[in-house]
mmCIF file with all atom_site columns, all heavy atoms in Angstrom:
data_model
loop_
_atom_site.group_PDB
_atom_site.id
_atom_site.type_symbol
_atom_site.label_atom_id
_atom_site.label_alt_id
_atom_site.label_comp_id
_atom_site.label_asym_id
_atom_site.label_entity_id
_atom_site.label_seq_id
_atom_site.pdbx_PDB_ins_code
_atom_site.Cartn_x
_atom_site.Cartn_y
_atom_site.Cartn_z
_atom_site.occupancy
_atom_site.B_iso_or_equiv
_atom_site.pdbx_formal_charge
_atom_site.auth_seq_id
_atom_site.auth_comp_id
_atom_site.auth_asym_id
_atom_site.auth_atom_id
_atom_site.pdbx_PDB_model_num
ATOM 1   N N   . TYR A 1 1  ? 117.302 90.486  107.248 1.00 0.00 ? 1  TYR A N   1
ATOM 2   C CA  . TYR A 1 1  ? 116.579 91.793  107.134 1.00 0.00 ? 1  TYR A CA  1
ATOM 3   C C   . TYR A 1 1  ? 117.577 92.858  106.664 1.00 0.00 ? 1  TYR A C   1
ATOM 4   O O   . TYR A 1 1  ? 118.759 92.796  106.931 1.00 0.00 ? 1  TYR A O   1
ATOM 5   C CB  . TYR A 1 1  ? 115.965 92.137  108.481 1.00 0.00 ? 1  TYR A CB  1
ATOM 6   C CG  . TYR A 1 1  ? 115.025 91.088  109.005 1.00 0.00 ? 1  TYR A CG  1
ATOM 7   C CD1 . TYR A 1 1  ? 115.486 90.103  109.884 1.00 0.00 ? 1  TYR A CD1 1
ATOM 8   C CD2 . TYR A 1 1  ? 113.706 91.074  108.615 1.00 0.00 ? 1  TYR A CD2 1
ATOM 9   C CE1 . TYR A 1 1  ? 114.631 89.112  110.345 1.00 0.00 ? 1  TYR A CE1 1
ATOM 10  C CE2 . TYR A 1 1  ? 112.820 90.075  109.052 1.00 0.00 ? 1  TYR A CE2 1
ATOM 11  C CZ  . TYR A 1 1  ? 113.306 89.105  109.908 1.00 0.00 ? 1  TYR A CZ  1
ATOM 12  O OH  . TYR A 1 1  ? 112.430 88.126  110.358 1.00 0.00 ? 1  TYR A OH  1
ATOM 13  N N   . VAL A 1 2  ? 116.946 93.870  106.001 1.00 0.00 ? 2  VAL A N   1
ATOM 14  C CA  . VAL A 1 2  ? 117.779 94.988  105.474 1.00 0.00 ? 2  VAL A CA  1
ATOM 15  C C   . VAL A 1 2  ? 117.004 96.273  105.739 1.00 0.00 ? 2  VAL A C   1
ATOM 16  O O   . VAL A 1 2  ? 115.793 96.299  105.888 1.00 0.00 ? 2  VAL A O   1
ATOM 17  C CB  . VAL A 1 2  ? 118.052 94.835  103.961 1.00 0.00 ? 2  VAL A CB  1
ATOM 18  C CG1 . VAL A 1 2  ? 118.962 93.697  103.656 1.00 0.00 ? 2  VAL A CG1 1
ATOM 19  C CG2 . VAL A 1 2  ? 116.712 94.683  103.174 1.00 0.00 ? 2  VAL A CG2 1
ATOM 20  N N   . LEU A 1 3  ? 117.756 97.368  105.762 1.00 0.00 ? 3  LEU A N   1
ATOM 21  C CA  . LEU A 1 3  ? 117.205 98.708  105.754 1.00 0.00 ? 3  LEU A CA  1
ATOM 22  C C   . LEU A 1 3  ? 116.957 99.133  104.303 1.00 0.00 ? 3  LEU A C   1
ATOM 23  O O   . LEU A 1 3  ? 117.787 98.814  103.423 1.00 0.00 ? 3  LEU A O   1
ATOM 24  C CB  . LEU A 1 3  ? 118.182 99.675  106.418 1.00 0.00 ? 3  LEU A CB  1
ATOM 25  C CG  . LEU A 1 3  ? 117.849 101.171 106.423 1.00 0.00 ? 3  LEU A CG  1
ATOM 26  C CD1 . LEU A 1 3  ? 116.609 101.432 107.285 1.00 0.00 ? 3  LEU A CD1 1
ATOM 27  C CD2 . LEU A 1 3  ? 119.044 101.971 106.903 1.00 0.00 ? 3  LEU A CD2 1
ATOM 28  N N   . ALA A 1 4  ? 115.864 99.794  104.062 1.00 0.00 ? 4  ALA A N   1
ATOM 29  C CA  . ALA A 1 4  ? 115.499 100.213 102.693 1.00 0.00 ? 4  ALA A CA  1
ATOM 30  C C   . ALA A 1 4  ? 114.886 101.598 102.709 1.00 0.00 ? 4  ALA A C   1
ATOM 31  O O   . ALA A 1 4  ? 114.268 102.020 103.679 1.00 0.00 ? 4  ALA A O   1
ATOM 32  C CB  . ALA A 1 4  ? 114.549 99.215  102.039 1.00 0.00 ? 4  ALA A CB  1
ATOM 33  N N   . ASN A 1 5  ? 115.068 102.309 101.597 1.00 0.00 ? 5  ASN A N   1
ATOM 34  C CA  . ASN A 1 5  ? 114.372 103.552 101.347 1.00 0.00 ? 5  ASN A CA  1
ATOM 35  C C   . ASN A 1 5  ? 113.500 103.354 100.090 1.00 0.00 ? 5  ASN A C   1
ATOM 36  O O   . ASN A 1 5  ? 114.039 103.214 98.998  1.00 0.00 ? 5  ASN A O   1
ATOM 37  C CB  . ASN A 1 5  ? 115.398 104.707 101.126 1.00 0.00 ? 5  ASN A CB  1
ATOM 38  C CG  . ASN A 1 5  ? 114.793 106.052 101.100 1.00 0.00 ? 5  ASN A CG  1
ATOM 39  O OD1 . ASN A 1 5  ? 113.560 106.209 101.120 1.00 0.00 ? 5  ASN A OD1 1
ATOM 40  N ND2 . ASN A 1 5  ? 115.617 107.090 101.014 1.00 0.00 ? 5  ASN A ND2 1
ATOM 41  N N   . ASP A 1 6  ? 112.205 103.314 100.281 1.00 0.00 ? 6  ASP A N   1
ATOM 42  C CA  . ASP A 1 6  ? 111.301 103.146 99.150  1.00 0.00 ? 6  ASP A CA  1
ATOM 43  C C   . ASP A 1 6  ? 111.005 104.514 98.568  1.00 0.00 ? 6  ASP A C   1
ATOM 44  O O   . ASP A 1 6  ? 109.944 105.131 98.786  1.00 0.00 ? 6  ASP A O   1
ATOM 45  C CB  . ASP A 1 6  ? 110.018 102.471 99.671  1.00 0.00 ? 6  ASP A CB  1
ATOM 46  C CG  . ASP A 1 6  ? 108.920 102.342 98.612  1.00 0.00 ? 6  ASP A CG  1
ATOM 47  O OD1 . ASP A 1 6  ? 109.280 102.438 97.429  1.00 0.00 ? 6  ASP A OD1 1
ATOM 48  O OD2 . ASP A 1 6  ? 107.745 102.146 98.965  1.00 0.00 ? 6  ASP A OD2 1
ATOM 49  N N   . VAL A 1 7  ? 111.974 105.025 97.795  1.00 0.00 ? 7  VAL A N   1
ATOM 50  C CA  . VAL A 1 7  ? 111.835 106.314 97.153  1.00 0.00 ? 7  VAL A CA  1
ATOM 51  C C   . VAL A 1 7  ? 110.682 106.279 96.142  1.00 0.00 ? 7  VAL A C   1
ATOM 52  O O   . VAL A 1 7  ? 110.498 105.271 95.439  1.00 0.00 ? 7  VAL A O   1
ATOM 53  C CB  . VAL A 1 7  ? 113.133 106.759 96.499  1.00 0.00 ? 7  VAL A CB  1
ATOM 54  C CG1 . VAL A 1 7  ? 113.018 108.148 95.917  1.00 0.00 ? 7  VAL A CG1 1
ATOM 55  C CG2 . VAL A 1 7  ? 114.313 106.677 97.480  1.00 0.00 ? 7  VAL A CG2 1
ATOM 56  N N   . SER A 1 8  ? 109.880 107.344 96.091  1.00 0.00 ? 8  SER A N   1
ATOM 57  C CA  . SER A 1 8  ? 108.646 107.328 95.290  1.00 0.00 ? 8  SER A CA  1
ATOM 58  C C   . SER A 1 8  ? 108.492 108.696 94.603  1.00 0.00 ? 8  SER A C   1
ATOM 59  O O   . SER A 1 8  ? 108.736 109.763 95.186  1.00 0.00 ? 8  SER A O   1
ATOM 60  C CB  . SER A 1 8  ? 107.454 107.111 96.193  1.00 0.00 ? 8  SER A CB  1
ATOM 61  O OG  . SER A 1 8  ? 107.618 105.996 97.042  1.00 0.00 ? 8  SER A OG  1
ATOM 62  N N   . GLU A 1 9  ? 108.041 108.653 93.336  1.00 0.00 ? 9  GLU A N   1
ATOM 63  C CA  . GLU A 1 9  ? 107.654 109.872 92.645  1.00 0.00 ? 9  GLU A CA  1
ATOM 64  C C   . GLU A 1 9  ? 106.114 109.909 92.683  1.00 0.00 ? 9  GLU A C   1
ATOM 65  O O   . GLU A 1 9  ? 105.437 109.165 91.999  1.00 0.00 ? 9  GLU A O   1
ATOM 66  C CB  . GLU A 1 9  ? 108.136 109.848 91.223  1.00 0.00 ? 9  GLU A CB  1
ATOM 67  C CG  . GLU A 1 9  ? 108.480 111.181 90.586  1.00 0.00 ? 9  GLU A CG  1
ATOM 68  C CD  . GLU A 1 9  ? 107.641 112.390 90.978  1.00 0.00 ? 9  GLU A CD  1
ATOM 69  O OE1 . GLU A 1 9  ? 106.448 112.446 90.728  1.00 0.00 ? 9  GLU A OE1 1
ATOM 70  O OE2 . GLU A 1 9  ? 108.261 113.330 91.551  1.00 0.00 ? 9  GLU A OE2 1
ATOM 71  N N   . ARG A 1 10 ? 105.577 110.754 93.589  1.00 0.00 ? 10 ARG A N   1
ATOM 72  C CA  . ARG A 1 10 ? 104.140 110.694 93.856  1.00 0.00 ? 10 ARG A CA  1
ATOM 73  C C   . ARG A 1 10 ? 103.245 111.066 92.662  1.00 0.00 ? 10 ARG A C   1
ATOM 74  O O   . ARG A 1 10 ? 102.158 110.513 92.514  1.00 0.00 ? 10 ARG A O   1
ATOM 75  C CB  . ARG A 1 10 ? 103.807 111.666 95.049  1.00 0.00 ? 10 ARG A CB  1
ATOM 76  C CG  . ARG A 1 10 ? 104.541 111.329 96.331  1.00 0.00 ? 10 ARG A CG  1
ATOM 77  C CD  . ARG A 1 10 ? 104.222 109.976 96.874  1.00 0.00 ? 10 ARG A CD  1
ATOM 78  N NE  . ARG A 1 10 ? 104.822 109.781 98.203  1.00 0.00 ? 10 ARG A NE  1
ATOM 79  C CZ  . ARG A 1 10 ? 104.864 108.644 98.845  1.00 0.00 ? 10 ARG A CZ  1
ATOM 80  N NH1 . ARG A 1 10 ? 104.377 107.547 98.284  1.00 0.00 ? 10 ARG A NH1 1
ATOM 81  N NH2 . ARG A 1 10 ? 105.418 108.560 100.063 1.00 0.00 ? 10 ARG A NH2 1
ATOM 82  N N   . ALA A 1 11 ? 103.719 111.993 91.809  1.00 0.00 ? 11 ALA A N   1
ATOM 83  C CA  . ALA A 1 11 ? 102.912 112.322 90.631  1.00 0.00 ? 11 ALA A CA  1
ATOM 84  C C   . ALA A 1 11 ? 102.814 111.142 89.733  1.00 0.00 ? 11 ALA A C   1
ATOM 85  O O   . ALA A 1 11 ? 101.715 110.799 89.206  1.00 0.00 ? 11 ALA A O   1
ATOM 86  C CB  . ALA A 1 11 ? 103.518 113.498 89.902  1.00 0.00 ? 11 ALA A CB  1
ATOM 87  N N   . TYR A 1 12 ? 103.932 110.370 89.502  1.00 0.00 ? 12 TYR A N   1
ATOM 88  C CA  . TYR A 1 12 ? 103.885 109.200 88.695  1.00 0.00 ? 12 TYR A CA  1
ATOM 89  C C   . TYR A 1 12 ? 103.021 108.135 89.369  1.00 0.00 ? 12 TYR A C   1
ATOM 90  O O   . TYR A 1 12 ? 102.289 107.368 88.704  1.00 0.00 ? 12 TYR A O   1
ATOM 91  C CB  . TYR A 1 12 ? 105.280 108.613 88.480  1.00 0.00 ? 12 TYR A CB  1
ATOM 92  C CG  . TYR A 1 12 ? 106.253 109.463 87.718  1.00 0.00 ? 12 TYR A CG  1
ATOM 93  C CD1 . TYR A 1 12 ? 107.547 109.021 87.569  1.00 0.00 ? 12 TYR A CD1 1
ATOM 94  C CD2 . TYR A 1 12 ? 105.886 110.662 87.170  1.00 0.00 ? 12 TYR A CD2 1
ATOM 95  C CE1 . TYR A 1 12 ? 108.461 109.794 86.872  1.00 0.00 ? 12 TYR A CE1 1
ATOM 96  C CE2 . TYR A 1 12 ? 106.796 111.484 86.471  1.00 0.00 ? 12 TYR A CE2 1
ATOM 97  C CZ  . TYR A 1 12 ? 108.086 110.995 86.324  1.00 0.00 ? 12 TYR A CZ  1
ATOM 98  O OH  . TYR A 1 12 ? 109.002 111.753 85.637  1.00 0.00 ? 12 TYR A OH  1
ATOM 99  N N   . GLN A 1 13 ? 103.089 108.061 90.676  1.00 0.00 ? 13 GLN A N   1
ATOM 100 C CA  . GLN A 1 13 ? 102.354 107.039 91.451  1.00 0.00 ? 13 GLN A CA  1
ATOM 101 C C   . GLN A 1 13 ? 100.851 107.224 91.401  1.00 0.00 ? 13 GLN A C   1
ATOM 102 O O   . GLN A 1 13 ? 100.131 106.227 91.232  1.00 0.00 ? 13 GLN A O   1
ATOM 103 C CB  . GLN A 1 13 ? 102.868 107.038 92.886  1.00 0.00 ? 13 GLN A CB  1
ATOM 104 C CG  . GLN A 1 13 ? 102.151 106.044 93.798  1.00 0.00 ? 13 GLN A CG  1
ATOM 105 C CD  . GLN A 1 13 ? 102.626 106.164 95.249  1.00 0.00 ? 13 GLN A CD  1
ATOM 106 O OE1 . GLN A 1 13 ? 103.539 106.875 95.562  1.00 0.00 ? 13 GLN A OE1 1
ATOM 107 N NE2 . GLN A 1 13 ? 101.959 105.439 96.129  1.00 0.00 ? 13 GLN A NE2 1
ATOM 108 N N   . SER A 1 14 ? 100.402 108.468 91.590  1.00 0.00 ? 14 SER A N   1
ATOM 109 C CA  . SER A 1 14 ? 98.987  108.689 91.857  1.00 0.00 ? 14 SER A CA  1
ATOM 110 C C   . SER A 1 14 ? 98.267  109.572 90.836  1.00 0.00 ? 14 SER A C   1
ATOM 111 O O   . SER A 1 14 ? 97.051  109.614 90.830  1.00 0.00 ? 14 SER A O   1
ATOM 112 C CB  . SER A 1 14 ? 98.824  109.350 93.252  1.00 0.00 ? 14 SER A CB  1
ATOM 113 O OG  . SER A 1 14 ? 99.395  108.529 94.229  1.00 0.00 ? 14 SER A OG  1
ATOM 114 N N   . GLU A 1 15 ? 99.007  110.241 89.950  1.00 0.00 ? 15 GLU A N   1
ATOM 115 C CA  . GLU A 1 15 ? 98.369  111.201 89.058  1.00 0.00 ? 15 GLU A CA  1
ATOM 116 C C   . GLU A 1 15 ? 98.473  110.851 87.600  1.00 0.00 ? 15 GLU A C   1
ATOM 117 O O   . GLU A 1 15 ? 97.993  111.600 86.726  1.00 0.00 ? 15 GLU A O   1
ATOM 118 C CB  . GLU A 1 15 ? 98.970  112.618 89.293  1.00 0.00 ? 15 GLU A CB  1
ATOM 119 C CG  . GLU A 1 15 ? 98.822  113.136 90.713  1.00 0.00 ? 15 GLU A CG  1
ATOM 120 C CD  . GLU A 1 15 ? 99.620  114.371 90.988  1.00 0.00 ? 15 GLU A CD  1
ATOM 121 O OE1 . GLU A 1 15 ? 100.007 115.060 89.982  1.00 0.00 ? 15 GLU A OE1 1
ATOM 122 O OE2 . GLU A 1 15 ? 99.875  114.696 92.154  1.00 0.00 ? 15 GLU A OE2 1
ATOM 123 N N   . ARG A 1 16 ? 99.093  109.684 87.281  1.00 0.00 ? 16 ARG A N   1
ATOM 124 C CA  . ARG A 1 16 ? 99.296  109.316 85.907  1.00 0.00 ? 16 ARG A CA  1
ATOM 125 C C   . ARG A 1 16 ? 98.512  108.083 85.493  1.00 0.00 ? 16 ARG A C   1
ATOM 126 O O   . ARG A 1 16 ? 98.767  107.527 84.464  1.00 0.00 ? 16 ARG A O   1
ATOM 127 C CB  . ARG A 1 16 ? 100.820 109.092 85.692  1.00 0.00 ? 16 ARG A CB  1
ATOM 128 C CG  . ARG A 1 16 ? 101.668 110.334 85.951  1.00 0.00 ? 16 ARG A CG  1
ATOM 129 C CD  . ARG A 1 16 ? 101.541 111.378 84.858  1.00 0.00 ? 16 ARG A CD  1
ATOM 130 N NE  . ARG A 1 16 ? 102.001 110.877 83.568  1.00 0.00 ? 16 ARG A NE  1
ATOM 131 C CZ  . ARG A 1 16 ? 103.284 110.966 83.155  1.00 0.00 ? 16 ARG A CZ  1
ATOM 132 N NH1 . ARG A 1 16 ? 104.208 111.512 83.921  1.00 0.00 ? 16 ARG A NH1 1
ATOM 133 N NH2 . ARG A 1 16 ? 103.590 110.502 81.974  1.00 0.00 ? 16 ARG A NH2 1
ATOM 134 N N   . GLY A 1 17 ? 97.538  107.690 86.312  1.00 0.00 ? 17 GLY A N   1
ATOM 135 C CA  . GLY A 1 17 ? 96.730  106.528 85.996  1.00 0.00 ? 17 GLY A CA  1
ATOM 136 C C   . GLY A 1 17 ? 97.445  105.198 86.254  1.00 0.00 ? 17 GLY A C   1
ATOM 137 O O   . GLY A 1 17 ? 98.640  105.159 86.498  1.00 0.00 ? 17 GLY A O   1
ATOM 138 N N   . GLY A 1 18 ? 96.661  104.085 86.231  1.00 0.00 ? 18 GLY A N   1
ATOM 139 C CA  . GLY A 1 18 ? 97.272  102.796 86.388  1.00 0.00 ? 18 GLY A CA  1
ATOM 140 C C   . GLY A 1 18 ? 97.689  102.503 87.781  1.00 0.00 ? 18 GLY A C   1
ATOM 141 O O   . GLY A 1 18 ? 97.156  103.024 88.731  1.00 0.00 ? 18 GLY A O   1
ATOM 142 N N   . GLN A 1 19 ? 98.716  101.649 87.918  1.00 0.00 ? 19 GLN A N   1
ATOM 143 C CA  . GLN A 1 19 ? 99.160  101.169 89.203  1.00 0.00 ? 19 GLN A CA  1
ATOM 144 C C   . GLN A 1 19 ? 100.298 102.054 89.781  1.00 0.00 ? 19 GLN A C   1
ATOM 145 O O   . GLN A 1 19 ? 100.823 102.941 89.132  1.00 0.00 ? 19 GLN A O   1
ATOM 146 C CB  . GLN A 1 19 ? 99.646  99.726  89.059  1.00 0.00 ? 19 GLN A CB  1
ATOM 147 C CG  . GLN A 1 19 ? 98.591  98.792  88.476  1.00 0.00 ? 19 GLN A CG  1
ATOM 148 C CD  . GLN A 1 19 ? 97.336  98.728  89.366  1.00 0.00 ? 19 GLN A CD  1
ATOM 149 O OE1 . GLN A 1 19 ? 97.438  98.499  90.519  1.00 0.00 ? 19 GLN A OE1 1
ATOM 150 N NE2 . GLN A 1 19 ? 96.172  98.877  88.760  1.00 0.00 ? 19 GLN A NE2 1
ATOM 151 N N   . TRP A 1 20 ? 100.657 101.738 91.044  1.00 0.00 ? 20 TRP A N   1
ATOM 152 C CA  . TRP A 1 20 ? 101.686 102.515 91.755  1.00 0.00 ? 20 TRP A CA  1
ATOM 153 C C   . TRP A 1 20 ? 103.088 102.254 91.186  1.00 0.00 ? 20 TRP A C   1
ATOM 154 O O   . TRP A 1 20 ? 103.971 103.084 91.382  1.00 0.00 ? 20 TRP A O   1
ATOM 155 C CB  . TRP A 1 20 ? 101.698 102.150 93.213  1.00 0.00 ? 20 TRP A CB  1
ATOM 156 C CG  . TRP A 1 20 ? 100.510 102.638 93.983  1.00 0.00 ? 20 TRP A CG  1
ATOM 157 C CD1 . TRP A 1 20 ? 99.429  103.315 93.515  1.00 0.00 ? 20 TRP A CD1 1
ATOM 158 C CD2 . TRP A 1 20 ? 100.319 102.479 95.374  1.00 0.00 ? 20 TRP A CD2 1
ATOM 159 N NE1 . TRP A 1 20 ? 98.565  103.592 94.531  1.00 0.00 ? 20 TRP A NE1 1
ATOM 160 C CE2 . TRP A 1 20 ? 99.086  103.088 95.697  1.00 0.00 ? 20 TRP A CE2 1
ATOM 161 C CE3 . TRP A 1 20 ? 101.043 101.868 96.397  1.00 0.00 ? 20 TRP A CE3 1
ATOM 162 C CZ2 . TRP A 1 20 ? 98.584  103.098 96.987  1.00 0.00 ? 20 TRP A CZ2 1
ATOM 163 C CZ3 . TRP A 1 20 ? 100.564 101.885 97.687  1.00 0.00 ? 20 TRP A CZ3 1
ATOM 164 C CH2 . TRP A 1 20 ? 99.327  102.483 97.972  1.00 0.00 ? 20 TRP A CH2 1
ATOM 165 N N   . ASP A 1 21 ? 103.305 101.132 90.531  1.00 0.00 ? 21 ASP A N   1
ATOM 166 C CA  . ASP A 1 21 ? 104.673 100.706 90.219  1.00 0.00 ? 21 ASP A CA  1
ATOM 167 C C   . ASP A 1 21 ? 105.503 101.767 89.505  1.00 0.00 ? 21 ASP A C   1
ATOM 168 O O   . ASP A 1 21 ? 106.686 101.879 89.762  1.00 0.00 ? 21 ASP A O   1
ATOM 169 C CB  . ASP A 1 21 ? 104.589 99.429  89.316  1.00 0.00 ? 21 ASP A CB  1
ATOM 170 C CG  . ASP A 1 21 ? 103.831 98.318  89.957  1.00 0.00 ? 21 ASP A CG  1
ATOM 171 O OD1 . ASP A 1 21 ? 102.796 98.568  90.596  1.00 0.00 ? 21 ASP A OD1 1
ATOM 172 O OD2 . ASP A 1 21 ? 104.218 97.138  89.790  1.00 0.00 ? 21 ASP A OD2 1
ATOM 173 N N   . LYS A 1 22 ? 104.887 102.506 88.590  1.00 0.00 ? 22 LYS A N   1
ATOM 174 C CA  . LYS A 1 22 ? 105.731 103.474 87.784  1.00 0.00 ? 22 LYS A CA  1
ATOM 175 C C   . LYS A 1 22 ? 106.200 104.638 88.634  1.00 0.00 ? 22 LYS A C   1
ATOM 176 O O   . LYS A 1 22 ? 107.160 105.283 88.268  1.00 0.00 ? 22 LYS A O   1
ATOM 177 C CB  . LYS A 1 22 ? 104.979 103.939 86.568  1.00 0.00 ? 22 LYS A CB  1
ATOM 178 C CG  . LYS A 1 22 ? 103.662 104.651 86.859  1.00 0.00 ? 22 LYS A CG  1
ATOM 179 C CD  . LYS A 1 22 ? 102.887 104.833 85.530  1.00 0.00 ? 22 LYS A CD  1
ATOM 180 C CE  . LYS A 1 22 ? 101.519 105.430 85.778  1.00 0.00 ? 22 LYS A CE  1
ATOM 181 N NZ  . LYS A 1 22 ? 100.713 105.450 84.535  1.00 0.00 ? 22 LYS A NZ  1
ATOM 182 N N   . GLY A 1 23 ? 105.564 104.887 89.774  1.00 0.00 ? 23 GLY A N   1
ATOM 183 C CA  . GLY A 1 23 ? 106.043 105.886 90.660  1.00 0.00 ? 23 GLY A CA  1
ATOM 184 C C   . GLY A 1 23 ? 107.104 105.362 91.640  1.00 0.00 ? 23 GLY A C   1
ATOM 185 O O   . GLY A 1 23 ? 107.666 106.141 92.441  1.00 0.00 ? 23 GLY A O   1
ATOM 186 N N   . LYS A 1 24 ? 107.349 104.068 91.623  1.00 0.00 ? 24 LYS A N   1
ATOM 187 C CA  . LYS A 1 24 ? 108.212 103.423 92.588  1.00 0.00 ? 24 LYS A CA  1
ATOM 188 C C   . LYS A 1 24 ? 109.511 102.839 91.998  1.00 0.00 ? 24 LYS A C   1
ATOM 189 O O   . LYS A 1 24 ? 110.375 102.381 92.746  1.00 0.00 ? 24 LYS A O   1
ATOM 190 C CB  . LYS A 1 24 ? 107.442 102.262 93.271  1.00 0.00 ? 24 LYS A CB  1
ATOM 191 C CG  . LYS A 1 24 ? 106.200 102.690 94.069  1.00 0.00 ? 24 LYS A CG  1
ATOM 192 C CD  . LYS A 1 24 ? 106.563 103.303 95.387  1.00 0.00 ? 24 LYS A CD  1
ATOM 193 C CE  . LYS A 1 24 ? 105.370 103.523 96.269  1.00 0.00 ? 24 LYS A CE  1
ATOM 194 N NZ  . LYS A 1 24 ? 105.780 103.938 97.644  1.00 0.00 ? 24 LYS A NZ  1
ATOM 195 N N   . SER A 1 25 ? 109.636 102.837 90.691  1.00 0.00 ? 25 SER A N   1
ATOM 196 C CA  . SER A 1 25 ? 110.618 101.991 90.044  1.00 0.00 ? 25 SER A CA  1
ATOM 197 C C   . SER A 1 25 ? 111.734 102.705 89.286  1.00 0.00 ? 25 SER A C   1
ATOM 198 O O   . SER A 1 25 ? 112.514 102.074 88.604  1.00 0.00 ? 25 SER A O   1
ATOM 199 C CB  . SER A 1 25 ? 109.902 101.037 89.072  1.00 0.00 ? 25 SER A CB  1
ATOM 200 O OG  . SER A 1 25 ? 109.106 100.134 89.793  1.00 0.00 ? 25 SER A OG  1
ATOM 201 N N   . TYR A 1 26 ? 111.833 104.028 89.410  1.00 0.00 ? 26 TYR A N   1
ATOM 202 C CA  . TYR A 1 26 ? 112.888 104.728 88.695  1.00 0.00 ? 26 TYR A CA  1
ATOM 203 C C   . TYR A 1 26 ? 114.245 104.247 89.185  1.00 0.00 ? 26 TYR A C   1
ATOM 204 O O   . TYR A 1 26 ? 114.392 103.870 90.362  1.00 0.00 ? 26 TYR A O   1
ATOM 205 C CB  . TYR A 1 26 ? 112.747 106.233 88.886  1.00 0.00 ? 26 TYR A CB  1
ATOM 206 C CG  . TYR A 1 26 ? 113.514 107.064 87.862  1.00 0.00 ? 26 TYR A CG  1
ATOM 207 C CD1 . TYR A 1 26 ? 113.035 107.153 86.543  1.00 0.00 ? 26 TYR A CD1 1
ATOM 208 C CD2 . TYR A 1 26 ? 114.690 107.689 88.185  1.00 0.00 ? 26 TYR A CD2 1
ATOM 209 C CE1 . TYR A 1 26 ? 113.729 107.865 85.579  1.00 0.00 ? 26 TYR A CE1 1
ATOM 210 C CE2 . TYR A 1 26 ? 115.393 108.439 87.258  1.00 0.00 ? 26 TYR A CE2 1
ATOM 211 C CZ  . TYR A 1 26 ? 114.917 108.495 85.932  1.00 0.00 ? 26 TYR A CZ  1
ATOM 212 O OH  . TYR A 1 26 ? 115.610 109.211 85.001  1.00 0.00 ? 26 TYR A OH  1
ATOM 213 N N   . ASP A 1 27 ? 115.212 104.280 88.322  1.00 0.00 ? 27 ASP A N   1
ATOM 214 C CA  . ASP A 1 27 ? 116.569 103.899 88.724  1.00 0.00 ? 27 ASP A CA  1
ATOM 215 C C   . ASP A 1 27 ? 117.033 104.644 89.956  1.00 0.00 ? 27 ASP A C   1
ATOM 216 O O   . ASP A 1 27 ? 116.874 105.887 90.036  1.00 0.00 ? 27 ASP A O   1
ATOM 217 C CB  . ASP A 1 27 ? 117.603 104.180 87.578  1.00 0.00 ? 27 ASP A CB  1
ATOM 218 C CG  . ASP A 1 27 ? 117.339 103.316 86.320  1.00 0.00 ? 27 ASP A CG  1
ATOM 219 O OD1 . ASP A 1 27 ? 116.445 102.455 86.377  1.00 0.00 ? 27 ASP A OD1 1
ATOM 220 O OD2 . ASP A 1 27 ? 118.054 103.519 85.335  1.00 0.00 ? 27 ASP A OD2 1
ATOM 221 N N   . SER A 1 28 ? 117.569 103.930 90.928  1.00 0.00 ? 28 SER A N   1
ATOM 222 C CA  . SER A 1 28 ? 118.056 104.405 92.222  1.00 0.00 ? 28 SER A CA  1
ATOM 223 C C   . SER A 1 28 ? 116.982 104.579 93.253  1.00 0.00 ? 28 SER A C   1
ATOM 224 O O   . SER A 1 28 ? 117.209 105.034 94.338  1.00 0.00 ? 28 SER A O   1
ATOM 225 C CB  . SER A 1 28 ? 118.794 105.774 92.107  1.00 0.00 ? 28 SER A CB  1
ATOM 226 O OG  . SER A 1 28 ? 117.915 106.859 91.973  1.00 0.00 ? 28 SER A OG  1
ATOM 227 N N   . PHE A 1 29 ? 115.713 104.182 92.952  1.00 0.00 ? 29 PHE A N   1
ATOM 228 C CA  . PHE A 1 29 ? 114.617 104.359 93.904  1.00 0.00 ? 29 PHE A CA  1
ATOM 229 C C   . PHE A 1 29 ? 114.496 103.236 94.921  1.00 0.00 ? 29 PHE A C   1
ATOM 230 O O   . PHE A 1 29 ? 113.517 103.201 95.662  1.00 0.00 ? 29 PHE A O   1
ATOM 231 C CB  . PHE A 1 29 ? 113.274 104.500 93.126  1.00 0.00 ? 29 PHE A CB  1
ATOM 232 C CG  . PHE A 1 29 ? 112.942 105.925 92.725  1.00 0.00 ? 29 PHE A CG  1
ATOM 233 C CD1 . PHE A 1 29 ? 113.922 106.874 92.595  1.00 0.00 ? 29 PHE A CD1 1
ATOM 234 C CD2 . PHE A 1 29 ? 111.626 106.260 92.431  1.00 0.00 ? 29 PHE A CD2 1
ATOM 235 C CE1 . PHE A 1 29 ? 113.612 108.175 92.205  1.00 0.00 ? 29 PHE A CE1 1
ATOM 236 C CE2 . PHE A 1 29 ? 111.303 107.541 92.043  1.00 0.00 ? 29 PHE A CE2 1
ATOM 237 C CZ  . PHE A 1 29 ? 112.313 108.530 91.938  1.00 0.00 ? 29 PHE A CZ  1
#
């Protein structure tokens, strides 16, 4: 097991259409 920080850009996640992945996947996230 590991500790993680699931950093998220909420506008990309929920306001730009499609799936959540693009709000979750920026470098360092």
Side-chain angles (χ1 to χ4, degrees):
Y1 303 93
V2 291
L3 175 67
N5 190 354
D6 176 17
V7 183
S8 310
E9 211 327 296
R10 301 298 188 190
Y12 295 177
Q13 177 184 354
S14 303
E15 300 171 19
R16 299 288 296 273
Q19 303 300 309
W20 289 2
D21 304 38
K22 60 191 175 187
K24 297 284 190 172
S25 293
Y26 198 73
D27 293 357
S28 79
F29 273 22

